[in-house]
């Protein structure tokens, strides 16, 4: 409320008329007071009043300075130590002039007069006779439609006077209750913080001494208090809340409808004393409010919120108040709960597991249970609000409700789970959601919550239960988060019956295949919970768990911490079955490959099953040998020409890695060797065929790399090499001229290896004569690394020339070889010169004379004749 300043004319009018009406009756106060005094006291009073007569006269007609001095002299007299009778008589004589100054135009005079009245009455034992004059004067200054007193400090002093009056004359307050309430209506809305605080204190004190009279007009104080409850000062908010508590206890209980929402907002207050005041007031209402049974559903959420407050002392006090309210309710309804007390079941296991959590008393549990249906709808709605603090408070309140309601929350299970799913999507609530979910699982059987969870995961109907949620990656992630907590809160015996259906749902592609990375973190938590809860009972579900762990391992390739967690779960799964981890692959890899064989034709590079397949092969070790038929068919189909190039490249990368890491045991090597020819003919050779474009070039590079891995693994026997030699060499010769330098380099290595592996049995003079032309071309390659590799291939090439080689018949071929090699003996690159020199050292032995003739013909053209001289010296000895 705005304080309206009054003009000097209005102040004089009030001073002349209003005080006169009130104080006209005070003329006989002194005479009445003297009747109760002794002669000595009367004489003393008359003496003092006589000495102050001029000062009293100055209070009426004096100047500002004169009034001030007069008040100071009067105050000096009244401040002296006087007998009670003398003080009473003295105040009787000074009452009228001092009260008149309450309306003086001079602020200092008003201040001093109020202060003096307060000081004098504080020393008196009985002030009842003066209340008819003091209280109305206060009302005139503060209780008008517009407050007359403009000074904040004087308004504060008048309220202090009223508080003092209430404490000194409690028996008389019923007579003046309405007058004081008229003042409080104005001062509670005062903009001055100290006035607000004193007004609230005055209201609280008034309700204790005049409760019946206060109740008559209490409603008028509600709006001013509610307007002040969000004041910027912490102490103001605290006192306003306590004043509301007193107001409702002594007023119309229907006001709680307007109050409760404002108190709910104060539970978010950053200042602990304010929140503590809220919980104390609500706790008091739970015990003393006349109509509390009608409003328990409004009070319980606030008090339960206090139990979960972050300040331990506040939480402890709130719990204590709720226990008191519960105990009182038990006493008031003793007959109704007699059977529940006499035949109470044992405490749920939950209370023996968690440290510091004890079962609430029966009265508290019944209060929550009976009001749960009224509290939950609004609470679950608040769980999904956009305000972080509201969500935090709501989820903590939900935990308390679940703890107190125990099995009674079953009828609301679907709504609760739906709200938990949605809340999991919000940041910062995960720990609280876990706590709520585990609490649900402690009191509700897995058979009961299974349909709701699995339906939400599958995004379809399950029996008669219809999901209100469609499947999305975020929602599926939330469902898995809640599910892991539900599993953690359950026991092995109760969980076992639902595990088959649970794993069947989780293993579905729409659940465990997603590009949403957080989903796999929650899937990992579900698997970990199953392992922890089921223990050795997990063995009958080992295959599904193994599949899920492989899925997790395939998507967590870059996250070292998550991979370590998966490895621990692999070890745990194996330890429960008392087998080594490798045995898991022996048992389950064939089943998984068989399942993948029906799905691989739809794969792309980014298919989750494609990653799973790669992870399975790379982790299986020697087990791969036992599943080669299935592996081969998948590789063959996924590298066909019709498939996406990215998929083909990734499959060749996987094949190359698999071949490089192929086990060396005889059994495994035999299995791999059996399929080597098929791998070359049906997988590698078709992908070495030239096609235009960079993408096709990348596929050829991947294919030739796989061939190089196969050759180096020594899985291809000489007999098998003969079977593929013709087709393979044709593609290799073609690949030597590939645009991709890496492809040419690997091809050269393969060429060299095939020459060594085939030997003279596979490569006679006629075959060799068809190959050297392509090798000579590669000596002009742009890559020095490749040119050096070609010289190594030439060394192998010349080592295959048979001893009965017809030098004269094949003279032209030898001359072409020598001529081509001598050109590069003068190469600018010293390393190339060295490599070519070593080749000519072995090549010259075939026909030294031809080589020396060619050296003589070109020696003068070389920049340096060093290597020519060496060769001549070597072959002309």
């Amino acid at each position: 409320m705005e304080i309206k300043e009054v003009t000097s004319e209005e102040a004089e009018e009030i001073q002349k008329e209003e005080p006169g009406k009130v104080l006209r009756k005070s003329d006989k106060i002194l005479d009445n007071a003297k009747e109760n005094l002794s002669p000595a006291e009367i004489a003393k009073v008359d003496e003092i009043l006589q000495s102050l007569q001029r000062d009293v006269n100055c209070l009426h007609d004096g100047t500002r300075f004169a009034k001030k001095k007069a008040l100071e002299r009067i105050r000096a007299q009244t401040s002296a130590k006087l007998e009670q009778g003398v003080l009473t008589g003295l105040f009787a004589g000074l009452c009228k002039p001092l009260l008149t100054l309450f309306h003086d135009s001079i602020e200092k005079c008003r201040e001093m007069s109020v202060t003096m009245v307060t000081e004098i009455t504080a020393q008196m034992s009985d002030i009842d006779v003066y209340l008819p004059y003091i209280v109305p004067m206060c009302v005139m200054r503060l209780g008008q439609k517009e407050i007359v007193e403009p000074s904040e400090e004087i308004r504060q002093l008048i309220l202090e006077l009223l508080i003092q009056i209430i404490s000194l004359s409690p028996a008389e307050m019923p007579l003046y209750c309405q007058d004081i309430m008229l003042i409080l209506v104005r001062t509670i809305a005062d903009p001055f913080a100290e006035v607000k605080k004193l007004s609230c204190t005055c209201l609280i004190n008034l309700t204790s001494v005049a409760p019946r009279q206060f109740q008559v007009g209490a409603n008028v104080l509600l709006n001013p208090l509610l307007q002040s409850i969000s004041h910027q000062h912490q102490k103001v908010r605290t006192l306003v809340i306590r004043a509301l508590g007193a107001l409702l206890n002594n007023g119309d209980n229907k006001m709680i409808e307007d109050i409760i929402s404002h108190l709910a907002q104060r539970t978010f207050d950053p200042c602990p004393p304010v929140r503590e005041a809220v919980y104390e007031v609500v706790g008091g209402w739970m015990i003393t409010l006349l109509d509390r049974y009608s409003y328990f559903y409004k009070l319980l959420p606030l008090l339960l919120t206090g139990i979960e407050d972050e300040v331990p002392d506040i939480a402890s006090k709130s719990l204590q108040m709720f226990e008191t309210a519960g105990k009182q309710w038990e006493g008031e309804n003793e007959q109704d709960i007699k059977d529940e007390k006499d035949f109470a079941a044992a405490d749920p296991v939950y209370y023996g597991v968690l440290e510091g959590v004890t079962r609430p008393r029966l009265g508290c549990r019944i209060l929550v249970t009976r009001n749960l249906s009224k509290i939950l709808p609004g609470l679950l709605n608040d769980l999904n609000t956009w305000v972080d603090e509201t969500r935090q408070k709501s989820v903590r309140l939900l935990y308390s409700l679940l703890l107190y309601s125990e099995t009674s929350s079953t009828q609301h299970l679907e709504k609760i789970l739906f709200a938990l799913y949605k809340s999991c999507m919000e940041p910062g609530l995960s720990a609280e959601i876990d706590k709520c979910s585990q609490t649900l699982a402690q009191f509700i059987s897995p058979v009961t919550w299974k349909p709701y969870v699995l339906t939400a995961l599958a995004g379809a109907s399950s029996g008669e239960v219809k999901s209100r949620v469609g499947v999305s990656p975020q929602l599926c992630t939330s469902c898995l988060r809640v599910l892991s907590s539900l599993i953690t809160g359950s026991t092995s015996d109760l969980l076992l019956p639902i595990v088959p259906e649970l794993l069947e749902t989780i293993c579905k592609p729409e659940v465990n295949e997603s590009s949403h990375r957080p989903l796999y973190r929650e899937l990992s938590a579900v698997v970990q919970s199953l392992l922890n809860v089921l223990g050795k009972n997990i063995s009958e579900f080992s295959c599904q768990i193994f599949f899920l762990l492989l899925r997790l391992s395939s998507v967590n390739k870059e996250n070292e911490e998550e991979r370590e967690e998966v490895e621990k779960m692999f070890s745990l799964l194996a330890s429960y079955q008392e087998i080594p981890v490798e045995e898991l692959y022996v048992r389950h890899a064939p089943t998984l490959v068989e399942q993948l064989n029906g799905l691989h034709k739809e794969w792309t590079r980014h298919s989750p099953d494609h990653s799973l397949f790669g992870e399975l092969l790379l982790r299986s070790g020697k087990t791969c040998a036992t599943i080669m038929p299935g592996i081969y068919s998948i590789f063959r189909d996924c590298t066909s020409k019709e498939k996406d190039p990215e998929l083909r490249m990734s499959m060749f990368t996987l094949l190359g890695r698999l071949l490089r890491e192929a086990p060396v045991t005889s059994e495994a090597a035999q299995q791999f060797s059996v399929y080597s020819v098929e791998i070359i003919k049906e997988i590698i050779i078709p992908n070495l065929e030239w096609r235009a474009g960079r993408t096709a070039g990348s596929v050829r590079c991947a294919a030739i790399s796989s061939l190089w891995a196969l050759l180096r693994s020594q899985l291809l026997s000489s007999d098998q090499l003969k079977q593929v030699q013709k087709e393979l060499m044709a593609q290799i010769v073609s690949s030597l001229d590939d645009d991709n330098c890496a492809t040419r380099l690997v091809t050269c290595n393969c060429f060299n290896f095939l020459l060594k592996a085939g030997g003279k049995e596979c490569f006679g003079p006629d075959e060799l004569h068809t190959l050297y032309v392509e090798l000579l071309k590669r000596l002009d390659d742009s890559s020095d690394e490749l040119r050096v590799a070609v010289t190594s291939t030439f060394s192998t090439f010349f080592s295959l020339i048979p001893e009965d080689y017809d030098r004269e018949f094949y003279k032209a071929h030898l001359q072409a070889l020598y001529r081509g090699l001598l050109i590069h003996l003068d190469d600018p690159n010293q390393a190339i010169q060295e490599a070519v020199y070593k080749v000519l050292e072995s090549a010259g032995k075939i026909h030294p004379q031809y080589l020396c003739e060619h050296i003589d013909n070109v020696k003068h053209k070389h920049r340096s004749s060093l290597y020519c001289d060496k060769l001549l010296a070597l072959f002309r000895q």
Side-chain angles (χ1 to χ4, degrees):
M1 176 189 294
E2 294 186 3
I3 305 302
K4 181 181 178 182
E5 290 283 349
V6 295
T7 63
S8 58
E9 292 80 5
E10 291 174 327
E12 290 178 5
E13 192 69 22
I14 293 172
Q15 180 178 357
K16 291 177 180 178
E17 296 182 4
E18 299 298 337
K21 293 179 182 178
V22 175
L23 298 176
R24 192 174 297 125
K25 303 175 184 180
S26 66
D27 294 339
K28 296 183 179 181
I29 293 180
L30 181 58
D31 295 336
N32 293 335
K34 287 182 177 180
E35 292 178 0
N36 298 320
L37 301 179
S38 64
E41 291 173 333
I42 294 173
K44 183 67 174 177
V45 169
D46 290 340
E47 179 184 351
I48 297 175
L49 288 176
Q50 184 64 35
S51 65
L52 296 175
Q53 187 59 50
R54 184 174 181 280
D55 295 320
V56 171
N57 294 336
C58 290
L59 296 180
H60 293 286
D61 302 319
T63 62
R64 177 191 300 264
F65 181 76
K67 287 182 179 181
K68 182 180 177 182
K69 288 296 182 183
L71 284 169
E72 289 177 351
R73 284 191 288 271
I74 294 173
R75 187 176 186 181
Q77 287 290 344
T78 56
S79 299
K81 291 184 179 181
L82 300 173
E83 295 179 1
Q84 189 64 224
V86 175
L87 185 61
T88 301
L90 185 59
F91 184 63
L94 297 174
C95 176
K96 181 176 180 179
L98 289 177
L99 292 176
T100 302
L101 287 180
F102 276 28
H103 288 269
D104 195 89
S105 60
I106 302 171
E107 180 180 328
K108 187 64 178 178
C109 294
R110 297 198 305 275
E111 178 184 345
M112 293 183 70
S113 63
V114 175
T115 302
M116 289 174 64
V117 171
T118 304
E119 291 174 350
I120 294 172
T121 53
Q123 302 176 53
M124 297 173 62
S125 58
D126 184 7
I127 62 169
D128 294 352
V129 68
Y130 304 104
L131 296 183
Y133 314 108
I134 297 175
V135 174
M137 294 302 291
C138 294
V139 173
M140 289 178 192
R141 296 306 293 174
L142 302 180
Q144 305 303 312
K145 186 175 181 181
E146 298 292 343
I147 294 180
V148 177
E149 179 54 63
S151 171
E152 296 175 342
E153 288 76 12
I154 296 176
R155 296 200 298 272
Q156 177 181 348
L157 291 173
I158 293 174
L159 283 169
E160 290 174 351
L161 173 60
L162 285 174
I163 293 172
Q164 180 175 288
I165 287 173
I166 293 172
S167 64
L168 291 175
S169 299
E172 297 296 318
M173 284 304 103
L175 297 175
Y176 302 100
C177 182
Q178 296 301 314
D179 290 332
I180 296 176
M181 289 172 66
L182 189 60
I183 292 173
L184 295 178
V185 170
R186 312 300 177 200
T187 56
I188 288 173
D190 196 291
F192 186 35
E194 291 301 321
V195 172
K196 284 182 178 290
K197 290 192 285 187
L198 289 171
S199 300
C200 292
T201 303
C202 185
L203 185 154
I204 295 169
N205 293 348
L206 184 62
T207 58
S208 64
V209 296
R212 294 181 60 186
Q213 291 73 19
F214 182 86
Q215 186 177 10
V216 176
N219 290 12
V220 298
L221 295 170
L222 179 60
N223 284 336
L225 285 171
L226 294 181
Q227 292 170 9
S228 303
I229 199 170
S230 58
H231 193 272
Q232 61 183 348
H233 289 186
Q234 164 198 330
K235 292 183 179 180
V236 172
R237 298 196 300 273
T238 303
L239 283 170
V240 167
I241 291 168
R242 298 192 184 280
L244 282 170
L247 176 68
L248 191 63
N249 271 328
N250 297 277
D252 186 356
N253 287 175
K254 292 180 180 179
M255 289 189 291
I256 196 172
E257 300 286 351
D258 300 314
I259 294 173
I260 206 71
S261 61
H262 292 272
L263 290 184
Q265 288 297 318
R266 289 306 98 208
T267 61
F268 298 96
D269 200 289
C271 299
V274 178
R275 300 199 304 275
E276 184 176 6
V278 172
Y279 304 137
E280 287 181 358
V281 166
V282 172
W285 288 343
M286 290 279 293
I287 298 170
T288 61
L289 199 66
L290 292 177
D291 294 338
R292 58 185 177 276
Y293 278 70
S294 302
Y295 298 109
F296 274 143
Y297 73 98
K298 289 184 177 292
L299 300 176
L300 279 170
L302 298 185
L303 193 54
L304 291 175
T305 300
I307 293 175
E308 294 299 321
D309 195 273
E310 51 266 29
V311 179
D313 288 343
I314 295 178
S316 177
K317 289 180 181 178
S318 300
L319 179 60
Q320 190 175 12
M321 286 186 287
F322 190 33
E323 291 286 322
T324 303
K327 182 178 181 181
Q328 177 178 298
W329 189 91
E330 291 176 19
E332 294 170 347
N333 300 271
E334 188 172 357
Q335 291 301 319
D336 296 340
I337 61 173
K338 187 175 186 300
D339 289 344
E340 292 184 58
K341 275 191 169 183
D342 293 343
F343 304 102
D347 290 353
V349 180
Y350 180 68
Y351 298 107
V353 175
L354 295 182
E355 184 178 351
V357 179
T358 56
R359 192 179 192 187
R361 66 179 311 122
L362 178 62
C364 297
R365 302 200 306 272
I366 294 177
L367 277 174
V368 172
T369 299
R370 293 188 177 181
N371 293 279
L372 186 62
S373 59
K374 296 179 181 179
I375 298 172
L376 268 181
L379 172 62
L380 298 182
N381 185 57
D382 286 344
L383 273 175
N384 297 312
T385 186
W386 61 273
V387 183
D388 289 340
E389 290 184 354
T390 302
R391 292 199 302 268
Q392 289 282 356
K393 290 283 185 183
S394 298
V395 74
R396 290 173 185 169
L397 174 57
L398 178 60
Y399 166 73
S400 293
L401 288 174
L402 296 176
L403 182 65
Y404 281 90
S405 61
E406 296 185 351
T407 56
S408 301
S409 59
T410 304
Q411 57 185 317
H412 309 286
L413 183 58
E414 184 179 12
K415 295 178 181 178
I416 294 172
L417 287 173
F418 173 71
L420 292 177
Y421 302 150
K422 298 288 285 183
S423 300
C424 271
M425 300 181 188
E426 305 297 339
L429 295 181
S430 298
E432 300 295 338
I433 294 297
D434 291 345
K435 197 174 177 182
C436 290
S437 303
Q438 290 178 26
T439 305
L440 266 178
Q442 293 291 340
F443 300 117
I444 300 177
S445 168
V447 175
T448 304
W449 54 253
K450 178 202 68 178
Y452 302 106
V453 177
L454 297 191
T455 301
L457 275 174
S461 61
S462 176
E464 297 181 356
V465 181
K466 297 286 184 180
S467 174
R468 302 188 297 146
V469 195
V471 162
S472 70
Q474 293 78 14
L475 177 63
C476 197
T477 303
S478 300
C479 291
L480 289 173
R481 176 87 191 202
V482 173
L483 176 59
S484 68
S485 298
L486 288 171
I487 293 171
T488 300
S490 302
T491 61
S492 179
D493 294 340
L494 294 175
L495 193 63
L496 270 175
I498 73 160
V499 173
E501 190 174 352
L502 183 65
L503 286 173
E504 180 184 353
T505 302
I506 296 175
C507 290
K508 289 181 178 179
E510 55 265 30
V511 176
N512 65 71
E513 295 181 9
S514 174
S515 58
H516 188 57
R517 298 289 300 177
L519 181 143
Y520 294 104
R521 185 167 57 249
E522 304 309 332
L523 180 60
S524 176
V526 171
V527 176
Q528 184 69 67
S529 298
L530 284 170
L531 288 169
N532 292 340
V533 174
L534 294 179
K536 292 188 176 181
N537 293 324
I538 201 71
S539 57
E540 56 185 297
F541 313 108
S542 178
C543 187
Q544 293 101 316
I545 298 296
F546 177 78
F547 165 74
L548 293 174
L549 290 177
L550 268 182
R551 175 77 73 199
L552 293 171
S553 182
S554 68
V555 298
N556 293 326
K557 295 179 180 178
E558 298 178 359
N559 191 317
E560 190 62 32
E561 183 178 349
E562 292 181 0
R563 285 190 68 85
E564 289 179 3
E565 291 297 323
V566 172
E567 293 300 329
K568 290 179 181 177
M569 285 189 276
F570 268 117
S571 300
L572 192 59
L573 177 62
S575 66
Y576 283 143
Q577 301 176 71
E578 299 180 353
I579 59 175
V581 174
E582 292 76 14
E583 184 65 23
L584 291 174
Y585 295 91
V586 174
R587 292 184 179 184
H588 306 310
T591 303
L592 289 185
V593 171
E594 183 180 350
Q595 293 174 359
L596 293 174
N597 249 317
L599 305 171
H600 70 281
K601 293 183 180 180
E602 305 298 326
W603 285 358
T604 65
R605 166 69 181 84
H606 303 288
S607 297
D609 280 343
H610 168 253
S611 299
L612 177 72
F613 176 68
E615 191 70 16
L616 174 63
L617 296 189
L618 296 177
R619 296 176 66 102
S620 293
K622 63 181 181 181
T623 308
C624 280
T626 64
I627 54 177
M628 274 304 297
I631 292 176
Y632 168 72
S633 64
I634 292 176
F635 272 111
R636 181 193 60 208
D637 294 340
C638 290
T639 55
S640 64
K641 300 175 184 178
E642 297 77 19
K643 289 295 182 180
D644 176 52
E646 286 190 351
L647 174 63
R648 291 156 64 193
M649 283 189 286
S650 67
M651 292 300 290
F652 276 120
T653 302
L654 176 61
L655 177 60
R657 187 173 174 184
L658 182 64
L659 293 170
R660 285 193 299 272
E661 299 176 4
V664 295
T665 61
S666 57
E667 179 185 356
Q670 182 180 359
Q671 289 292 331
F672 275 97
S673 180
V674 168
Y675 285 90
S676 296
V677 173
E678 284 78 3
I679 290 174
I680 292 175
K681 283 186 175 182
E682 299 188 28
I683 297 178
I684 295 177
I685 290 179
N687 285 279
L688 287 177
E689 295 177 2
W690 188 89
R691 290 180 181 82
R694 292 186 177 180
T695 302
S698 299
V699 172
R700 290 195 298 274
C701 183
I704 197 67
S705 298
S706 297
L707 175 62
W708 178 230
L710 175 61
L711 296 175
R712 293 182 64 187
S713 63
Q714 299 179 350
L715 298 175
L716 197 66
S717 66
S718 58
D719 292 336
Q720 290 174 320
L721 181 59
K722 290 178 181 178
Q723 297 178 38
V724 297
Q725 176 185 345
K726 185 175 181 180
E727 294 179 72
L728 187 58
M729 288 305 297
Q731 291 300 329
I732 285 181
V733 170
S734 174
S735 298
L736 278 174
D737 200 27
D738 197 272
D739 295 334
N740 190 324
C741 179
T743 302
R744 298 196 302 272
L745 178 59
V746 177
T747 302
C748 187
N749 292 332
C750 292
F751 200 148
N752 191 9
F753 187 92
L754 287 172
L755 290 176
K756 290 179 180 178
K760 296 179 181 180
E761 295 180 5
C762 296
F763 297 97
D766 293 335
E767 287 80 7
L768 293 174
H769 292 158
T770 62
L771 301 177
Y772 74 83
V773 176
E774 294 300 326
L775 290 176
L776 285 175
K777 289 180 182 179
R778 288 307 100 212
L779 284 176
D780 293 320
D781 198 275
S782 59
S783 169
D784 288 342
E785 183 182 3
L786 174 57
R787 296 167 69 197
V788 172
V790 170
T791 60
S792 177
T793 306
F794 263 121
S795 297
T796 306
F797 175 90
F798 285 117
S799 68
L800 298 180
I801 300 295
E803 294 180 2
D804 58 351
Y805 184 73
D806 192 338
R807 294 163 179 76
E808 293 299 327
F809 185 75
Y810 297 121
K811 178 179 180 180
H813 293 295
L814 289 174
Q815 288 176 343
L817 282 166
Y818 291 155
R819 190 163 46 247
L821 289 170
L822 284 171
I823 291 173
H824 298 283
L825 193 63
D826 192 37
D827 195 272
N829 189 327
Q830 182 69 28
I832 302 298
Q833 293 180 25
E834 290 281 353
V836 172
Y837 171 75
K838 291 179 180 178
V839 172
L840 287 171
E841 276 186 325
S842 58
K845 295 176 183 178
I846 299 173
H847 204 309
Q849 181 182 350
Y850 286 167
L851 178 60
C852 291
E853 290 175 1
H854 280 83
I855 292 174
D856 289 335
N857 292 334
V858 300
K859 177 180 176 182
H860 65 281
K861 299 178 183 180
H862 285 202
R863 282 165 290 191
S864 172
S865 61
L866 174 64
Y867 291 107
C868 291
D869 293 338
K870 284 185 177 181
L871 290 171
L872 290 173
L874 178 64
F875 291 114
R876 281 181 174 172
Q877 291 180 356

